[in-house]
Amino acid sequence: MTTSGTEWFNVLFCELEHCDEDGQKQKIEEMNELMEEMDKEEIEYVYTTELFNKILKMIEEEKLSMENALFLLKHVGYFKMVNFLWTEEYKFSSLSKTYEKMIIDENEKKGEKNEKLLVDICECNALLNNELSSELVSIIVPCLLNVALKKAEDEETQKEVEMALLALSNIPVFYEVKRELLTNKIKEIIKYHQEHRTLTKLAYQSAWEFLIYRLDTDKSYEAIVNELHFAREAARELDELMNTVNWRRAKKAEKEEKETKEELVLLRWLSSIFGFFQTNISTNEEFDGLISSLIQIFRSAKDNHREASNWCIYLFKEATENRAMKVDALLESGAVDNVLVEIQQPTLNERVTFDYLEFFFYILIRSKIKEFDEMEEAKRKIAKKKILEKMEEEGYEDIIASFHETLEFFQRNYDRLFSLNVEDYLVNVFDD
């Protein structure tokens, strides 16, 4: 896909006001197909305040029907989300203010509401806007959860449910959601899928992301997350996606093509797992399988898909720092071995090198502090000895020493609490 894709999108958009409603719908379908082929940079080029303001003007001048405008905008929001585009262009448009008022007015109607209109505008706002008012969230969440509860397995319903769940996954962590909606509706959606497999992979990931976000503000949701077996389900989904991704194509695609939908969903799972690890969750036996899946992803991606492999390193670091995995389990899983090999690669960028160093820093901190890993002293010493032996095999001390001159750079640019003491990255079996 070249920049001609966005140019053709703009040509089709300019032609909309000269078409009747059916002609508009046909052109919008062409625009949606174009967006499906665009990469992140091209979607960003389309996603502008100017576009949104022009759509509002066309609606007001009756040159574009509300139905067709929403049909286009939902897909702009859809492709913004799946391509990890974070921008505030919509928030500053006049269209966003108009739609926000329409949501509130439609919701407050005393008589019969236009449910389809309300759903469409709620989806647009949730997909396009990264910052919503608490009032809007209180209307949007129950509205879209009701859509996501639809259980029909036909393709049209699956698309509706996917769009609603994707929109919900963009509700920021700092907004409170009524507890009964999570303990009842989102649980029902996830459990029904686990039994009947009716959701698309993107829809299922989005349902989990919406729930995982809530953990950030209320740790009590951990019981629901564990009851629904997040670690087990995430591992299973990652394994399936890993087997469908063409990793050799992915290596080529980093320069020549956009990522496939499977790759994008896999990246979204890695992002959700990061949110999960960040919340200092309690470990259980299902975590071993999740870490094992992440190791497999890392091995497949490290030479073929830099973004996915970088996510894995970040997750290993987060799992270690927040005790989502015990040190001896990380050693047995192969995470330490793989990172030791990778840290020696001459082509690593600064950020990845920093994450590698932090990964080892937290492993060594964990191995020194008894309270972090509840194991007998003898077992803890054995685990530390295994780490030391592995590091000696790989020449780890020499590797760390080689970073001595750059530690201050990492502290200055990435984390002011980053240790400048080389000894903090080295194992001493007899230090306590």
Side-chain angles (χ1 to χ4, degrees):
M1 190 72 186
T2 66
T3 51
S4 62
T6 53
E7 291 167 359
W8 184 236
F9 179 95
N10 288 327
V11 168
L12 290 170
F13 180 74
C14 291
E15 291 175 354
L16 286 178
E17 59 185 311
H18 306 297
C19 302
D20 60 19
E21 192 160 346
D22 288 339
Q24 285 181 350
K25 189 161 188 179
Q26 185 176 344
K27 287 195 180 294
I28 290 170
E29 285 174 347
E30 290 181 53
M31 293 162 76
N32 293 340
E33 289 173 5
L34 277 172
M35 284 189 286
E36 193 163 357
E37 297 301 317
M38 290 178 184
D39 59 25
K40 182 175 180 177
E41 288 71 26
E42 290 170 321
I43 294 292
E44 191 168 12
Y45 183 82
V46 165
Y47 192 97
T48 62
T49 302
E50 181 183 5
L51 174 77
F52 300 127
N53 286 337
K54 191 165 184 181
I55 287 174
L56 177 60
K57 185 178 180 182
M58 289 169 69
I59 293 170
E60 291 174 340
E61 294 177 352
E62 298 184 348
K63 293 179 179 178
L64 179 65
S65 70
M66 180 66 73
E67 181 182 352
N68 281 340
L70 291 167
F71 179 48
L72 171 60
L73 288 163
K74 283 203 297 185
H75 284 84
V76 172
Y78 177 94
F79 292 113
K80 165 206 169 240
M81 287 288 294
V82 297
N83 284 282
F84 294 93
L85 182 61
W86 187 268
T87 175
E88 297 187 321
E89 296 293 325
Y90 175 76
K91 184 177 80 171
F92 297 115
S93 70
S94 302
L95 182 64
S96 72
K97 309 299 183 293
T98 299
Y99 276 175
E100 286 172 11
K101 185 176 185 305
M102 285 179 68
I103 289 173
I104 294 168
D105 290 347
E106 192 66 38
N107 185 65
E108 290 178 349
K109 273 186 182 178
K110 299 298 182 184
E112 186 176 347
K113 296 180 176 63
N114 185 335
E115 295 293 345
K116 185 180 186 312
L117 177 66
L118 183 59
V119 167
D120 286 344
I121 302 180
C122 283
E123 285 179 348
C124 278
N125 272 271
L127 289 165
L128 295 169
N129 202 342
N130 301 318
E131 188 176 333
L132 300 165
S133 69
S134 296
E135 182 181 12
L136 280 175
V137 169
S138 69
I139 299 169
I140 289 172
V141 170
C143 174
L144 298 188
L145 280 173
N146 285 337
V147 175
L149 279 164
K150 291 182 178 180
K151 295 182 171 63
E153 297 184 32
D154 60 280
E155 186 177 351
E156 185 177 348
T157 302
Q158 282 192 330
K159 285 182 178 179
E160 287 179 26
V161 170
E162 182 180 83
M163 190 74 79
L165 286 169
L166 184 64
L168 284 168
S169 75
N170 199 40
I171 303 293
V173 298
F174 43 82
Y175 289 114
E176 290 188 12
V177 176
K178 287 185 178 179
R179 190 174 183 84
E180 59 267 25
L181 294 176
L182 289 174
T183 53
N184 296 323
K185 293 186 177 181
I186 199 67
K187 267 180 68 174
E188 183 181 343
I189 291 164
I190 291 173
K191 288 186 80 169
Y192 189 83
H193 174 74
Q194 289 174 351
E195 293 170 7
H196 303 280
R197 301 295 167 191
T198 55
L199 298 176
T200 67
K201 287 199 169 295
L202 178 58
Y204 190 46
Q205 185 281 326
S206 297
W208 272 114
E209 187 160 333
F210 173 67
L211 178 55
I212 294 299
Y213 271 166
R214 313 293 61 92
L215 272 171
D216 197 57
T217 53
D218 190 341
K219 187 76 160 46
S220 67
Y221 287 128
E222 184 184 333
I224 302 172
V225 171
N226 286 336
E227 179 190 342
L228 295 171
H229 304 284
F230 173 77
R232 181 196 71 192
E233 292 293 296
R236 185 183 58 76
E237 291 291 313
L238 286 176
D239 290 344
E240 289 183 7
L241 287 162
M242 182 178 64
N243 291 327
T244 58
V245 168
N246 182 338
W247 292 104
R248 290 188 179 183
R249 190 218 68 83
K251 182 177 183 178
K252 185 180 178 184
E254 286 195 345
K255 293 184 178 179
E256 298 180 17
E257 301 174 45
K258 69 160 287 178
E259 290 161 315
T260 64
K261 190 169 184 179
E262 289 79 14
E263 290 167 54
L264 291 167
V265 176
L266 186 146
L267 291 172
R268 284 176 60 85
W269 270 110
L270 297 178
S271 174
S272 295
I273 294 166
F274 172 71
F276 182 57
F277 284 169
Q278 264 195 320
T279 57
N280 291 299
I281 28 69
S282 306
T283 60
N284 59 49
E285 66 278 1
E286 293 178 355
F287 277 56
D288 291 351
L290 179 54
I291 294 293
S292 177
S293 294
L294 291 172
I295 289 290
Q296 294 304 314
I297 296 278
F298 179 70
R299 285 173 177 161
S300 297
K302 64 186 178 68
D303 295 323
N304 303 297
H305 199 298
R306 182 51 60 185
E307 187 175 0
S309 64
N310 289 353
W311 262 115
C312 290
I313 292 299
Y314 207 43
L315 288 167
F316 296 152
K317 183 187 79 171
E318 203 66 27
T320 310
E321 180 182 3
N322 290 318
R323 291 171 283 163
M325 197 73 181
K326 293 188 176 181
V327 171
D328 56 334
L330 276 166
L331 188 69
E332 291 170 7
S333 72
V336 173
D337 300 38
N338 279 274
V339 177
L340 275 168
V341 171
E342 284 303 296
I343 199 172
Q344 301 177 64
Q345 300 302 317
T347 56
L348 291 182
N349 67 35
E350 295 163 359
R351 175 74 221 192
V352 176
T353 303
F354 170 77
D355 287 337
Y356 282 160
L357 289 171
E358 283 227 308
F359 171 68
F360 284 113
F361 176 75
Y362 288 120
I363 279 186
L364 300 178
I365 289 294
R366 291 276 303 280
S367 72
K368 292 177 181 179
I369 301 177
K370 298 175 185 178
E371 294 89 327
F372 279 8
D373 276 325
E374 296 174 359
M375 61 171 70
E376 296 174 12
E377 180 65 13
K379 289 182 179 178
R380 195 162 63 88
K381 287 276 179 101
I382 290 170
K384 287 176 64 178
K385 189 175 180 182
K386 285 181 182 177
I387 297 172
L388 178 62
E389 289 171 351
K390 174 55 66 177
M391 290 180 168
E392 286 179 341
E393 268 180 46
E394 301 293 342
Y396 175 73
E397 288 203 19
D398 292 337
I399 297 167
I400 293 301
S402 73
F403 286 113
H404 178 70
E405 299 298 324
T406 54
L407 294 181
E408 186 176 344
F409 170 83
F410 290 131
Q411 185 193 64
R412 186 172 63 251
N413 288 276
Y414 295 107
D415 186 350
R416 64 184 180 82
L417 300 178
F418 185 73
S419 175
L420 299 181
N421 184 3
V422 173
E423 294 296 318
D424 286 341
Y425 300 90
L426 305 178
V427 179
N428 184 347
V429 178
F430 306 106
D431 60 5
D432 43 42

